Amino acid sequence: MEAVEILLRGDTLIFPTETVYGLGARFDHDQALRSVFEAKGRPADNPLILHVADASWVEEIADDISPRAHELMKMFWPGPLSLVLKKKDRVSHLISAGLPSVAVRCPSHPLARRLLQEVGVPVAAPSANPSGRPSPTREIDVLEMVGKVGGILLGGDCEVGLESTVLDLSGERALVLRPGAVTTEELKEFLPEVERYTGDPEKAPSPGLRYRHYAPDASVIVLRGSERAIRSFIVSSPKTSCFLLPFEWDLPFDQTRIIAFVPESDLEAAASQFYALLRDADKAGMKEIYVVEFPPEGIGEALTDRVWRASGGRVKTLEDA
Ligand code: AMP
Ligand code: MG
């Protein structure tokens, strides 16, 4: 595979995973790692996740791997769970951004797995978007990175569509730093002591949590109110406002207005399309993207987190007339 050569010679490569497209560099090549930060415009204090072909590779990059970490790898890998562990010295400070820990994940996407097996060393890969923008989940989204990277391996749409769960096991407490498709509830079954990090983002143990994230050019606004109030709000809003709403709602039909319906009963579908909708709303010249709140169960936990971050906390609350 040509893609393997690109990584082996120390170039950067965009490749598909089941969460979002990643921008990879081999873990032992500082120049390639610098190119990843440069291509994304990523702040140097935001560490990268190392991708491995299987759990046996973790011994090469992490120390003090606890029995609970081994058990989680057995249960959830390959899959959308990144584990933060104590790093070995050979992991570059560029990857860990100066932290004593490193995040590791084993993706399940068949192309990513084959790539990692053939490359034979861990690959550092953040999401393949310019820093702060929505992560790329489709082929068309990564094509905007042509010219900034060594190559692109196309693999269709990403199944999950939101970034991996980041679980910190490097300290005393087991903390979910970023929710993802592996939910806090699921983790609790194996690790009853696990907690969601809910502290001040400025002091977040995961530097990535401090930055404004996943934001399109349009303003994302969380919309609160009854179905009825939202219905009249839509009718009176300008045509540059678009809406992301549950499919089950009975809304006024209006051909000229963009309303993206997602099935409330199928939060996986809503999550997998969220970033694509943000990107498409920008392309259609929308100025506001109103998003209703989804139930925070299952993948809804991660979706709610990403909607909240994209909105920067902006909320529109509608009163009933
Ligand atoms: P991305 O790969 O773009 O999805 O971002 C990776 C996320 O994992 C960011 O939020 C990072 O801050 C987080 N992360 C990576 N390594 C570590 C680490 N050693 N400790 C805590 N968080 C990490
Ligand atoms: Mg990212």
Side-chain angles (χ1 to χ4, degrees):
M1 217 181 353
E2 171 68 17
V4 174
E5 294 308 315
I6 290 175
L7 282 174
L8 282 178
R9 70 172 179 245
D11 259 331
T12 55
L13 177 84
I14 292 181
F15 62 97
T17 82
E18 73 279 18
T19 58
V20 301
Y21 274 85
L23 168 56
R26 54 185 295 169
F27 87 117
D28 53 356
H29 199 294
D30 281 1
Q31 193 43 53
L33 295 169
R34 281 195 197 94
S35 306
V36 166
F37 283 92
E38 201 175 306
K40 282 182 60 81
R42 184 175 178 104
D45 67 353
N46 194 358
L48 308 179
I49 295 174
L50 278 185
H51 291 65
V52 296
D54 66 66
S56 69
W57 290 22
V58 179
E59 317 278 344
E60 307 290 319
I61 46 189
D63 266 336
D64 299 346
I65 309 165
S66 63
R68 65 179 184 175
H70 281 295
E71 190 171 341
L72 290 168
M73 290 180 219
K74 219 178 281 161
M75 286 313 303
F76 294 102
W77 282 8
L81 175 67
S82 300
L83 299 177
V84 175
L85 303 167
K86 192 170 161 217
K87 87 172 186 76
K88 269 199 163 40
D89 284 346
R90 63 193 296 233
V91 173
S92 164
H93 64 93
L94 295 169
I95 293 170
S96 65
L99 295 171
S101 57
V102 63
V104 193
R105 157 169 130 80
C106 175
S108 65
H109 193 292
L111 268 178
R113 300 205 69 190
R114 204 180 126 197
L115 181 75
L116 288 163
Q117 266 149 9
E118 292 187 25
V119 170
V121 293
V123 169
S127 51
N129 50 297
S131 204
R133 310 280 302 161
S135 298
T137 56
R138 304 170 296 188
E139 295 186 350
I140 190 163
D141 302 333
V142 285
L143 293 177
E144 68 184 27
M145 296 293 275
V146 167
K148 292 186 177 173
V149 296
I152 300 179
L153 181 59
L154 295 175
D157 292 348
C158 301
E159 199 186 333
V160 176
L162 299 178
E163 304 80 356
S164 62
T165 306
V166 177
L167 173 64
D168 189 351
L169 297 176
S170 69
E172 300 264 288
R173 294 157 70 198
L175 282 179
V176 172
L177 303 180
R178 174 174 77 183
V182 172
T183 64
T184 309
E185 273 158 75
E186 274 178 284
L187 290 170
K188 276 211 161 102
E189 283 180 35
F190 300 91
L191 212 59
E193 70 271 29
V194 77
E195 290 167 74
R196 181 82 190 269
Y197 178 80
T198 50
D200 180 354
E202 290 300 319
K203 299 191 191 105
S206 191
L209 297 179
R210 291 177 209 142
Y211 298 105
R212 179 171 182 255
H213 254 83
Y214 322 120
D217 291 331
S219 305
V220 176
I221 302 154
V222 174
L223 194 55
R224 284 186 186 149
S226 67
E227 220 176 293
R228 202 182 130 163
I230 290 178
R231 197 178 306 150
S232 39
F233 181 72
I234 292 176
V235 175
S236 64
S237 65
K239 297 280 195 255
T240 49
S241 295
C242 66
F243 297 84
L244 180 56
L245 303 171
F247 178 69
E248 289 82 359
W249 287 16
D250 181 21
L251 286 157
F253 178 63
D254 180 345
Q255 284 174 321
T256 60
R257 193 181 294 280
I258 296 182
I259 303 179
F261 292 110
V262 291
E264 197 167 32
S265 49
D266 186 358
L267 284 173
E268 267 91 20
S272 75
Q273 287 158 45
F274 179 62
Y275 287 141
L277 286 165
L278 296 187
R279 285 170 173 264
D280 289 352
D282 269 350
K283 281 189 204 139
M286 294 294 123
K287 298 276 179 274
E288 297 92 26
I289 306 170
Y290 289 99
V291 185
V292 295
E293 289 175 301
F294 290 94
E297 285 111 44
I299 188 86
E301 182 193 16
L303 181 58
T304 301
D305 170 76
R306 304 312 191 273
V307 170
W308 192 249
R309 282 161 185 279
S311 75
R314 259 166 306 200
V315 179
K316 172 97 187 156
T317 305
L318 304 172
E319 306 296 337
D320 273 313

